[in-house]
Amino acid sequence: MSRLLVECTYVYENPKANSGIQRVVRNVIRELPAKELGRECIPVVMLQGKLYEVKKLAPPPTKTWDLVSLRERLEQAANLFWLRHRTLESRHVFSQSVWARRLLYVGCRLFVFGCLSLPIRLLNLLLKNRHVSPRIAPLEHRAGDQLVLLDSSWHADFFPLAEQLKRDGVGIISVVYDLIPLTHPQFCDAGLVKVFNRWFDWIARTADGYVAISTTIRDQLRQEMVRRIGEQAVRERWFDYFHLGSELDLMDATHPVAPSLLQLFEQTEPVFLMVSTIEPRKNHAYLLDAFERAWAAGSQARLCIVGKIGWKCEALIERIKRHPQLNSRLFMFNNLSDQSLEHAYRHSTALVFPSYVEGFGLPLVEAMQRGLPAMGSDIPVFREIGGEFMAYFDLDDPQSLANLVIDMEHTGVFPAKRNLDQWQWLSWRQASAQLVERIEGHIDAAVVDRETACG
């Protein structure tokens, strides 16, 4: 029997993380095809140099803070602290004096180290060395298994174990979400660029096959592999893709929709929704530029930004918080539950998504699957996902988005070539099955090729 060992280490250790990759991992793991004749899919984690089968991905609910929750809260506090530091640094007394800025920075660094960074490091140590959870059980690998690196593994420390598995006859398959730290490093933290580049070198040497989340990324991936290891080595590997699903998996009817969000949708003016982590490549500044032009032209449309605060966004957050339209026509929510996000998708006028670059664009299918039309930047992967069902705007001209907003506000007609009534997309069950089927297709083809060569 062939076995796919589907790796989900980061999500197992960070069960409350809810960004794009974590959504994909949780949903694919939950919907893995059942055991059949000749095939078995097993979720696994690699911890402290050992392989474990995951019996339950999510921990049982608890009303007390566990160590993971405490670490997440401390990390969030550190991010917010540095946002406040950036605001304070811009004040007159610090902007006019290099020594005052240096003194402020040193004081902040000492505070963060003692009150936040050191506790976070201690928690990481405790979590790394804690006893094995009843949620997992030791798993013996065997030759012919296929290890599918589904999770965000660039920060992982399990590469020596994966290499040992490969020496023991286990195939390695890497799921690739995007190449943004390589192709657009200006949008990423310098540390991430370095770590991701090292990870990519590792998967280029180690993996037997690669599954991207769009044809756009599959083709970019192959080109980058040719550049790094040469055409001949690339021919020895296989490349494919699968598309993501659309359901929100953390829906909980016991969690009420945020009151401030309910109040927003009680008004009649149209609401244009942006859903993503707030970081440079998501291009929120363009969004503000476009809506400021629309408001200047008399538009009553409202812009609702939903997403956690990420990195390199201090100036943008300050701009939003000081904006004269804040809580009038401009709204921001940084910690919505899936229940509240579902409400926003169901009641908005359209999604707006002005990213410079994406691997897929999960909010697009989440919105469109619920009947919410989407306006997106005119980039190849959005054309792949949205086709003629989306409206597109020019990233070099904020007025192009402003015009779409104004025209839709006045006519009530969404400016796409095809109506969303004809839209169909994958469920997470179908997406998970597609991933497994495409991997198995390549494995079966490799077996046939070996038998042909031997025969």
Side-chain angles (χ1 to χ4, degrees), residues 210-221:
Y210 307 85
V211 186
I213 58 172
S214 62
T215 60
T216 303
I217 299 305
R218 179 201 60 191
D219 296 343
Q220 288 181 7
L221 171 63

Side-chain angles (χ1 to χ4, degrees), residues 395-406:
L395 284 182
D396 293 325
D397 181 15
Q399 189 63 46
S400 66
L401 174 56
N403 291 341
L404 288 176
V405 170
I406 292 170

Side-chain angles (χ1 to χ4, degrees), residues 285 288-289 292 314-323:
L288 289 177
D289 292 343
E292 284 172 356
E314 295 89 349
L316 175 72
I317 297 299
E318 188 68 14
R319 178 181 174 185
I320 292 173
K321 289 184 175 180
R322 293 179 179 272
H323 203 285

Side-chain angles (χ1 to χ4, degrees), residues 9 119 208-209 237 249 255 265 376 384:
T9 307
D208 304 294
R237 293 153 168 80
D249 64 302
H255 291 173
F265 288 104
E384 175 184 344

Side-chain angles (χ1 to χ4, degrees), residues 126-142:
L126 288 170
L127 289 168
K128 184 175 182 180
N129 295 317
R130 63 186 171 179
H131 295 298
V132 173
S133 165
R135 294 158 53 206
I136 56 178
L139 179 70
E140 292 294 331
H141 64 280
R142 58 194 188 209

